[in-house]
Amino acid sequence: MAEVLVTGGSGYIGSWCVLALLDAGHSVRTTVRSLSREAELRAMLQRGGAAPDAPLQVLTADLTQDAGWQEAVQGCDAVLHVASPTLTTAPRSDEAMVTPAREGVLRVLRASRDAGVRRVVLTSAIGAIAYGHPDRDTPFTEDDWTNVDAGIEPYQKSKTLAERAAWDFIATQGDGLELATVNPTGVLGPVLGPDFSPSLGLIQHMLDGSMPLSLKFASGYVDVRDVADLHLRAMTDPAAAGQRFIATSGRSLWVREVAGILRRRLGKRADRVPTREMPVWAARTLSLVKPELRPLRALLGKDLDATSEKARRLLNWQPRPVEDTIAETAESLLALDAHLPADGVNETA
């Protein structure tokens, strides 16, 4: 079994990656920005099924500083670099999102190379693939790259430029270090703590009635547990070296379709879920006065369908049905009474 570092283990995807690694018998290290979060992290992992005495070491390291990274990767066979600035409801500048994402990737890659790590798996996003393009009738694939000059939001720009920087580093300075990337669509699934993906916020807003009308856009969705599974496959399979992998469970869904699934599966507990769709023009107008809608403006009216055929074919990845994931997401949010994370640079994807 391997010694594996997971950056940002307190985040939504990171915590499930830690659980998947422990379940597979690996020894795990994970980084947080402050050890004050260690007790919270361990409690989250135990809620997810980890044993109290699981082989897990929690270390401090910050993506914006060099300190701690050499120690974190020393002796590791592989690194899952999950930590990154996350999408928030408040406006963020390009620089505030792009710089820590890109510089953080390069810090982790340099430390991994110098420590003799075999492979790094980088958590990228569909945001590095599907944005800034004209409308199209075919699904996005790993050959596509987001057009950063098309006026996209800072989050998508940061994911694109960080992944570009990673591939450039491997090509010019990697010295044998292998890289694979996982590019998830909207990440859903059970919640272990308060740090979770923006896609979960969409479900939460529909459940609590703060989204009285469905927004008109279509996206793929994927279960966080399947995202973690794909990270492990990308870490261990020889075929994954040098490859990008889109993580999506099936065809894209319009928000109104997600709402319909919630109403069918949850019954009366989904009474506040919207039954009607907001016109695109109205949503665009509303986004001018509601900052939480701004990151979604580029999506309005669009269908960002993508395919995971490559991950299924090369790595035998088999995600669970999206309807089950949506229902389990809602059940988890209702049970946890979860709240959206505050604005800031969270160590999630």
mmCIF file of all heavy atoms in Angstrom, residues 79-107:
data_model
loop_
_atom_site.group_PDB
_atom_site.id
_atom_site.type_symbol
_atom_site.label_atom_id
_atom_site.label_comp_id
_atom_site.label_asym_id
_atom_site.label_seq_id
_atom_site.Cartn_x
_atom_site.Cartn_y
_atom_site.Cartn_z
ATOM 1 N N VAL A 79 0.525 12.018 -4.715
ATOM 2 C CA VAL A 79 -0.118 13.200 -4.139
ATOM 3 C C VAL A 79 -1.429 13.446 -4.878
ATOM 4 O O VAL A 79 -1.452 13.448 -6.116
ATOM 5 C CB VAL A 79 0.781 14.453 -4.259
ATOM 6 C CG1 VAL A 79 0.018 15.711 -3.831
ATOM 7 C CG2 VAL A 79 2.053 14.285 -3.427
ATOM 8 N N LEU A 80 -2.504 13.635 -4.116
ATOM 9 C CA LEU A 80 -3.759 14.107 -4.682
ATOM 10 C C LEU A 80 -3.865 15.586 -4.317
ATOM 11 O O LEU A 80 -4.084 15.929 -3.147
ATOM 12 C CB LEU A 80 -4.955 13.335 -4.127
ATOM 13 C CG LEU A 80 -4.933 11.813 -4.238
ATOM 14 C CD1 LEU A 80 -6.271 11.226 -3.783
ATOM 15 C CD2 LEU A 80 -4.597 11.353 -5.640
ATOM 16 N N HIS A 81 -3.674 16.452 -5.320
ATOM 17 C CA HIS A 81 -3.711 17.892 -5.045
ATOM 18 C C HIS A 81 -5.127 18.402 -5.285
ATOM 19 O O HIS A 81 -5.512 18.734 -6.398
ATOM 20 C CB HIS A 81 -2.698 18.635 -5.919
ATOM 21 C CG HIS A 81 -2.715 20.117 -5.675
ATOM 22 N ND1 HIS A 81 -2.871 20.651 -4.416
ATOM 23 C CD2 HIS A 81 -2.604 21.172 -6.525
ATOM 24 C CE1 HIS A 81 -2.847 21.974 -4.497
ATOM 25 N NE2 HIS A 81 -2.698 22.307 -5.759
ATOM 26 N N VAL A 82 -5.880 18.450 -4.196
ATOM 27 C CA VAL A 82 -7.291 18.811 -4.255
ATOM 28 C C VAL A 82 -7.504 20.271 -3.873
ATOM 29 O O VAL A 82 -8.409 20.934 -4.376
ATOM 30 C CB VAL A 82 -8.116 17.893 -3.322
ATOM 31 C CG1 VAL A 82 -9.602 18.163 -3.469
ATOM 32 C CG2 VAL A 82 -7.814 16.419 -3.620
ATOM 33 N N ALA A 83 -6.688 20.795 -2.980
ATOM 34 C CA ALA A 83 -6.893 22.140 -2.448
ATOM 35 C C ALA A 83 -6.769 23.200 -3.534
ATOM 36 O O ALA A 83 -5.877 23.135 -4.379
ATOM 37 C CB ALA A 83 -5.876 22.431 -1.347
ATOM 38 N N SER A 84 -7.688 24.162 -3.500
ATOM 39 C CA SER A 84 -7.676 25.259 -4.467
ATOM 40 C C SER A 84 -8.649 26.310 -3.983
ATOM 41 O O SER A 84 -9.564 26.002 -3.214
ATOM 42 C CB SER A 84 -8.096 24.760 -5.851
ATOM 43 O OG SER A 84 -8.141 25.819 -6.789
ATOM 44 N N PRO A 85 -8.510 27.553 -4.429
ATOM 45 C CA PRO A 85 -9.569 28.529 -4.132
ATOM 46 C C PRO A 85 -10.877 28.025 -4.703
ATOM 47 O O PRO A 85 -10.921 27.470 -5.801
ATOM 48 C CB PRO A 85 -9.111 29.787 -4.875
ATOM 49 C CG PRO A 85 -7.652 29.608 -5.104
ATOM 50 C CD PRO A 85 -7.439 28.134 -5.246
ATOM 51 N N THR A 86 -11.950 28.195 -3.964
ATOM 52 C CA THR A 86 -13.238 27.693 -4.417
ATOM 53 C C THR A 86 -14.153 28.818 -4.860
ATOM 54 O O THR A 86 -13.961 29.973 -4.506
ATOM 55 C CB THR A 86 -13.918 26.864 -3.305
ATOM 56 O OG1 THR A 86 -15.009 26.148 -3.861
ATOM 57 C CG2 THR A 86 -14.439 27.756 -2.189
ATOM 58 N N LEU A 87 -15.173 28.460 -5.630
ATOM 59 C CA LEU A 87 -16.162 29.419 -6.086
ATOM 60 C C LEU A 87 -16.985 29.894 -4.893
ATOM 61 O O LEU A 87 -17.432 29.113 -4.075
ATOM 62 C CB LEU A 87 -17.076 28.750 -7.107
ATOM 63 C CG LEU A 87 -18.182 29.590 -7.737
ATOM 64 C CD1 LEU A 87 -17.588 30.746 -8.505
ATOM 65 C CD2 LEU A 87 -19.028 28.723 -8.650
ATOM 66 N N THR A 88 -17.184 31.203 -4.784
ATOM 67 C CA THR A 88 -17.954 31.773 -3.691
ATOM 68 C C THR A 88 -19.044 32.667 -4.252
ATOM 69 O O THR A 88 -19.030 33.027 -5.422
ATOM 70 C CB THR A 88 -17.052 32.597 -2.752
ATOM 71 O OG1 THR A 88 -16.483 33.684 -3.497
ATOM 72 C CG2 THR A 88 -15.929 31.754 -2.175
ATOM 73 N N THR A 89 -19.970 33.076 -3.392
ATOM 74 C CA THR A 89 -21.061 33.913 -3.861
ATOM 75 C C THR A 89 -20.636 35.366 -4.031
ATOM 76 O O THR A 89 -21.228 36.095 -4.804
ATOM 77 C CB THR A 89 -22.241 33.854 -2.874
ATOM 78 O OG1 THR A 89 -21.794 34.260 -1.584
ATOM 79 C CG2 THR A 89 -22.795 32.443 -2.803
ATOM 80 N N ALA A 90 -19.632 35.805 -3.310
ATOM 81 C CA ALA A 90 -19.199 37.196 -3.412
ATOM 82 C C ALA A 90 -18.250 37.363 -4.597
ATOM 83 O O ALA A 90 -17.470 36.464 -4.915
ATOM 84 C CB ALA A 90 -18.499 37.620 -2.126
ATOM 85 N N PRO A 91 -18.285 38.519 -5.270
ATOM 86 C CA PRO A 91 -17.381 38.738 -6.398
ATOM 87 C C PRO A 91 -15.922 38.659 -5.957
ATOM 88 O O PRO A 91 -15.557 39.132 -4.895
ATOM 89 C CB PRO A 91 -17.734 40.160 -6.858
ATOM 90 C CG PRO A 91 -19.118 40.397 -6.346
ATOM 91 C CD PRO A 91 -19.212 39.633 -5.068
ATOM 92 N N ARG A 92 -15.110 38.045 -6.785
ATOM 93 C CA ARG A 92 -13.676 37.950 -6.532
ATOM 94 C C ARG A 92 -12.952 38.394 -7.787
ATOM 95 O O ARG A 92 -13.383 38.137 -8.906
ATOM 96 C CB ARG A 92 -13.293 36.493 -6.205
ATOM 97 C CG ARG A 92 -13.967 35.917 -4.984
ATOM 98 C CD ARG A 92 -13.285 36.365 -3.712
ATOM 99 N NE ARG A 92 -11.921 35.876 -3.666
ATOM 100 C CZ ARG A 92 -11.578 34.640 -3.291
ATOM 101 N NH1 ARG A 92 -12.515 33.774 -2.983
ATOM 102 N NH2 ARG A 92 -10.322 34.255 -3.247
ATOM 103 N N SER A 93 -11.809 39.048 -7.601
ATOM 104 C CA SER A 93 -11.035 39.490 -8.750
ATOM 105 C C SER A 93 -10.314 38.313 -9.384
ATOM 106 O O SER A 93 -10.101 37.275 -8.749
ATOM 107 C CB SER A 93 -10.008 40.547 -8.318
ATOM 108 O OG SER A 93 -9.015 39.948 -7.494
ATOM 109 N N ASP A 94 -9.909 38.498 -10.644
ATOM 110 C CA ASP A 94 -9.126 37.461 -11.317
ATOM 111 C C ASP A 94 -7.879 37.128 -10.506
ATOM 112 O O ASP A 94 -7.554 35.958 -10.286
ATOM 113 C CB ASP A 94 -8.720 37.934 -12.715
ATOM 114 C CG ASP A 94 -9.873 37.871 -13.708
ATOM 115 O OD1 ASP A 94 -11.013 37.621 -13.266
ATOM 116 O OD2 ASP A 94 -9.636 38.073 -14.911
ATOM 117 N N GLU A 95 -7.190 38.163 -10.059
ATOM 118 C CA GLU A 95 -5.920 37.943 -9.351
ATOM 119 C C GLU A 95 -6.136 37.181 -8.055
ATOM 120 O O GLU A 95 -5.354 36.292 -7.705
ATOM 121 C CB GLU A 95 -5.243 39.285 -9.063
ATOM 122 C CG GLU A 95 -3.886 39.144 -8.379
ATOM 123 C CD GLU A 95 -3.222 40.490 -8.127
ATOM 124 O OE1 GLU A 95 -3.766 41.516 -8.566
ATOM 125 O OE2 GLU A 95 -2.152 40.503 -7.491
ATOM 126 N N ALA A 96 -7.192 37.505 -7.329
ATOM 127 C CA ALA A 96 -7.452 36.850 -6.045
ATOM 128 C C ALA A 96 -7.735 35.370 -6.211
ATOM 129 O O ALA A 96 -7.470 34.573 -5.301
ATOM 130 C CB ALA A 96 -8.619 37.527 -5.333
ATOM 131 N N MET A 97 -8.259 34.960 -7.362
ATOM 132 C CA MET A 97 -8.542 33.553 -7.606
ATOM 133 C C MET A 97 -7.394 32.855 -8.323
ATOM 134 O O MET A 97 -6.997 31.750 -7.962
ATOM 135 C CB MET A 97 -9.819 33.418 -8.446
ATOM 136 C CG MET A 97 -11.087 33.864 -7.741
ATOM 137 S SD MET A 97 -11.544 32.819 -6.345
ATOM 138 C CE MET A 97 -12.146 31.366 -7.187
ATOM 139 N N VAL A 98 -6.851 33.509 -9.360
ATOM 140 C CA VAL A 98 -5.882 32.853 -10.226
ATOM 141 C C VAL A 98 -4.538 32.644 -9.530
ATOM 142 O O VAL A 98 -3.960 31.544 -9.587
ATOM 143 C CB VAL A 98 -5.683 33.656 -11.534
ATOM 144 C CG1 VAL A 98 -4.503 33.090 -12.328
ATOM 145 C CG2 VAL A 98 -6.952 33.625 -12.368
ATOM 146 N N THR A 99 -4.036 33.670 -8.859
ATOM 147 C CA THR A 99 -2.680 33.589 -8.304
ATOM 148 C C THR A 99 -2.521 32.456 -7.289
ATOM 149 O O THR A 99 -1.602 31.635 -7.429
ATOM 150 C CB THR A 99 -2.270 34.935 -7.696
ATOM 151 O OG1 THR A 99 -2.290 35.929 -8.723
ATOM 152 C CG2 THR A 99 -0.867 34.856 -7.101
ATOM 153 N N PRO A 100 -3.377 32.342 -6.249
ATOM 154 C CA PRO A 100 -3.174 31.231 -5.316
ATOM 155 C C PRO A 100 -3.386 29.865 -5.951
ATOM 156 O O PRO A 100 -2.725 28.897 -5.572
ATOM 157 C CB PRO A 100 -4.192 31.498 -4.201
ATOM 158 C CG PRO A 100 -5.184 32.438 -4.781
ATOM 159 C CD PRO A 100 -4.462 33.239 -5.804
ATOM 160 N N ALA A 101 -4.288 29.776 -6.924
ATOM 161 C CA ALA A 101 -4.517 28.480 -7.580
ATOM 162 C C ALA A 101 -3.290 28.060 -8.384
ATOM 163 O O ALA A 101 -2.796 26.936 -8.263
ATOM 164 C CB ALA A 101 -5.743 28.564 -8.486
ATOM 165 N N ARG A 102 -2.789 28.957 -9.225
ATOM 166 C CA ARG A 102 -1.643 28.628 -10.076
ATOM 167 C C ARG A 102 -0.378 28.434 -9.250
ATOM 168 O O ARG A 102 0.359 27.453 -9.433
ATOM 169 C CB ARG A 102 -1.440 29.734 -11.108
ATOM 170 C CG ARG A 102 -0.279 29.470 -12.067
ATOM 171 C CD ARG A 102 -0.279 30.508 -13.174
ATOM 172 N NE ARG A 102 -0.290 31.860 -12.618
ATOM 173 C CZ ARG A 102 -0.742 32.934 -13.277
ATOM 174 N NH1 ARG A 102 -1.233 32.825 -14.494
ATOM 175 N NH2 ARG A 102 -0.720 34.118 -12.717
ATOM 176 N N GLU A 103 -0.099 29.371 -8.333
ATOM 177 C CA GLU A 103 1.123 29.254 -7.532
ATOM 178 C C GLU A 103 1.058 28.061 -6.588
ATOM 179 O O GLU A 103 2.070 27.409 -6.324
ATOM 180 C CB GLU A 103 1.344 30.549 -6.748
ATOM 181 C CG GLU A 103 1.600 31.772 -7.631
ATOM 182 C CD GLU A 103 2.737 31.542 -8.611
ATOM 183 O OE1 GLU A 103 3.805 31.052 -8.191
ATOM 184 O OE2 GLU A 103 2.552 31.820 -9.815
ATOM 185 N N GLY A 104 -0.143 27.753 -6.092
ATOM 186 C CA GLY A 104 -0.283 26.584 -5.229
ATOM 187 C C GLY A 104 0.008 25.293 -5.965
ATOM 188 O O GLY A 104 0.683 24.397 -5.448
ATOM 189 N N VAL A 105 -0.496 25.169 -7.199
ATOM 190 C CA VAL A 105 -0.207 23.986 -8.013
ATOM 191 C C VAL A 105 1.289 23.832 -8.220
ATOM 192 O O VAL A 105 1.854 22.742 -8.069
ATOM 193 C CB VAL A 105 -0.934 24.087 -9.372
ATOM 194 C CG1 VAL A 105 -0.336 23.107 -10.374
ATOM 195 C CG2 VAL A 105 -2.421 23.804 -9.205
ATOM 196 N N LEU A 106 1.956 24.925 -8.556
ATOM 197 C CA LEU A 106 3.389 24.846 -8.829
ATOM 198 C C LEU A 106 4.181 24.515 -7.575
ATOM 199 O O LEU A 106 5.183 23.788 -7.634
ATOM 200 C CB LEU A 106 3.868 26.162 -9.444
ATOM 201 C CG LEU A 106 3.293 26.458 -10.841
ATOM 202 C CD1 LEU A 106 3.739 27.828 -11.332
ATOM 203 C CD2 LEU A 106 3.684 25.368 -11.837
ATOM 204 N N ARG A 107 3.756 25.021 -6.416
ATOM 205 C CA ARG A 107 4.440 24.667 -5.163
ATOM 206 C C ARG A 107 4.350 23.170 -4.903
ATOM 207 O O ARG A 107 5.326 22.520 -4.548
ATOM 208 C CB ARG A 107 3.816 25.428 -3.991
ATOM 209 C CG ARG A 107 4.291 26.850 -3.856
ATOM 210 C CD ARG A 107 3.800 27.489 -2.555
ATOM 211 N NE ARG A 107 4.412 28.805 -2.422
ATOM 212 C CZ ARG A 107 3.872 29.928 -2.899
ATOM 213 N NH1 ARG A 107 2.687 29.879 -3.508
ATOM 214 N NH2 ARG A 107 4.498 31.078 -2.758
#
